[in-house]
Amino acid sequence: MKSPVVKRSIVIAGHKTSVSLEDAFWKGLKDIAGGRDMTLSDLVATIDTDRQHGNLSSAIRLFVLDYYRNQFSDESEGRDATHEIMPTRAASSA
């Protein structure tokens, strides 16, 4: 299933800019902003300020990816070190 890249306008620090992202990244960004009680514009402004290089669309994708990676990592920390996150076929049939 394809997620088309959608170009949207957003105001950052009083300046209008456009950002092109796939729908999944827009949804993730909106969810993160809501979870932090921030506006989408404020969150994007923070990402824009903190980015080291690359364009804003790439910085947003990396931010969303990193957010969900950290969330997954935090959830799996309590697991036994010998437990596989994605068990092999042989292990799952045992």
Side-chain angles (χ1 to χ4, degrees):
M1 185 165 92
K2 283 188 176 180
S3 180
V5 175
V6 179
K7 189 174 193 174
R8 292 186 173 92
S9 294
I10 190 164
V11 177
I12 303 172
H15 300 316
K16 192 173 183 179
T17 189
S18 59
V19 179
S20 298
L21 293 173
E22 294 79 4
D23 286 334
F25 285 103
W26 278 116
K27 182 180 181 333
L29 191 62
K30 288 177 186 179
D31 290 347
I32 294 166
R36 293 182 176 187
D37 292 324
M38 298 176 77
T39 66
L40 190 61
S41 292
D42 287 343
L43 180 57
V44 172
T46 301
I47 294 167
D48 187 39
T49 300
D50 293 344
R51 71 181 159 131
Q52 302 295 316
H53 47 76
N55 64 40
L56 182 56
S57 295
S58 294
I60 292 170
R61 285 185 189 94
L62 292 172
F63 173 84
V64 171
L65 177 64
D66 190 51
Y67 175 86
Y68 286 109
R69 272 187 180 164
N70 287 336
Q71 191 175 48
F72 178 76
S73 176
D74 291 347
E75 289 174 3
S76 64
E77 274 183 4
R79 297 177 189 223
D80 185 329
T82 60
H83 178 74
E84 292 182 56
I85 293 172
M86 296 189 68
T88 62
R89 184 173 293 238
S92 62
S93 64

